[in-house]
Amino acid sequence: MMNMELITITHWDDKLWRSIEPVYREAFPSGAKPEGILRSMLDRGIAHIHAGLIDGQAAAMAVTGMVDGAEGKRLIIDYLAVSRELRGRGAGTVFLDLIIDWAKQTNNVLGVIIEAESGSSETHAQRIHFWEKNGFILTPYVHQYIWVPEPYQAMLKPLEQSVQVEDNGESLFRYINNFHKKAYRPPAK
């Protein structure tokens, strides 16, 4: 078992960000939210940034947010990245488990939602496999955003039996889209 420390922040921390930013940029060379948007999300209390450290060194990072629904809280994992040298060695699963335990303990989260690029490449297949082996269910609905070229599919990890996907996954995008709208909304003046 890998010994990883989870640090979760709700206020911007330059030193922590500088340590995990290379992991973020390496995993998401395009399509990543700019630093200013991430800062704004923390300032407005709509996101958390998580760092997974091994022996004090950045091993993984994630950006998450909480969304409320009629059936209780869900955790949205907006980004999750593991340093290249640790991929395929269990670090992603350890990090994901730490984040889910944190979300259950601090926010009584009943399910976890992610969106994955919908594609047929080997990279897409590997990403989907990672999430599925960690208990996520791939939904068939393919969502096409107007501002990004690639389509996406939602995945859900129920943390209680009452949490189910009642449709083809389209309903999960209501949570995801609400989170994205908040993320890109300018701060109130």
Side-chain angles (χ1 to χ4, degrees):
M1 175 77 174
M2 191 171 291
N3 189 15
M4 186 181 292
E5 174 189 8
L6 178 70
I7 296 175
T8 298
I9 60 171
T10 56
H11 300 295
W12 193 259
D13 179 326
D14 265 323
K15 184 178 178 192
L16 183 68
W17 175 248
R18 297 291 162 238
S19 74
I20 62 174
E21 183 181 24
V23 176
Y24 181 62
R25 300 282 175 222
E26 174 190 79
F28 305 104
S30 64
K33 285 183 174 70
E35 183 180 318
I37 296 288
L38 295 175
R39 281 178 182 260
S40 175
M41 290 168 68
L42 289 183
D43 289 348
R44 291 180 290 135
I46 62 170
H48 301 86
I49 293 181
H50 309 272
L53 306 178
I54 297 175
D55 296 328
Q57 298 298 310
M61 67 78 58
V63 178
T64 65
M66 299 292 165
V67 290
D68 290 313
E71 319 80 37
K73 286 191 179 186
R74 305 290 185 271
L75 178 72
I76 301 273
I77 298 179
D78 197 22
Y79 293 95
L80 187 140
V82 174
S83 67
R84 186 179 311 268
E85 54 274 2
L86 291 172
R87 290 181 198 155
R89 297 177 43 199
T93 295
V94 169
F95 186 53
L96 179 61
D97 288 345
L98 288 170
I99 291 171
I100 290 172
D101 287 346
W102 164 83
K104 288 190 310 193
Q105 290 173 14
T106 61
N107 290 282
N108 199 28
V109 167
L110 303 177
V112 183
I113 301 169
I114 65 114
E115 62 181 338
E117 290 177 2
S118 179
S120 56
S121 74
E122 182 60 31
T123 301
H124 291 126
Q126 288 171 347
R127 288 179 182 156
I128 297 296
H129 176 72
F130 167 79
W131 295 107
E132 286 180 328
K133 87 174 186 193
N134 284 289
F136 285 77
I137 301 160
L138 180 65
T139 60
Y141 171 74
V142 177
H143 187 78
Q144 182 65 59
Y145 291 105
I146 57 171
W147 59 86
V148 293
E150 59 276 336
Y152 285 84
Q153 286 174 273
M155 298 184 80
L156 172 72
K157 179 174 180 146
L159 301 178
E160 283 197 359
Q161 281 195 307
S162 64
V163 176
Q164 307 267 333
V165 179
E166 301 298 329
D167 60 10
N168 63 358
E170 192 170 357
S171 63
L172 296 176
F173 277 93
R174 282 196 289 278
Y175 290 111
I176 294 166
N177 287 331
N178 284 340
F179 177 73
H180 288 312
K181 281 179 190 164
K182 287 181 192 172
Y184 285 103
R185 184 176 299 140
K189 298 200 180 209

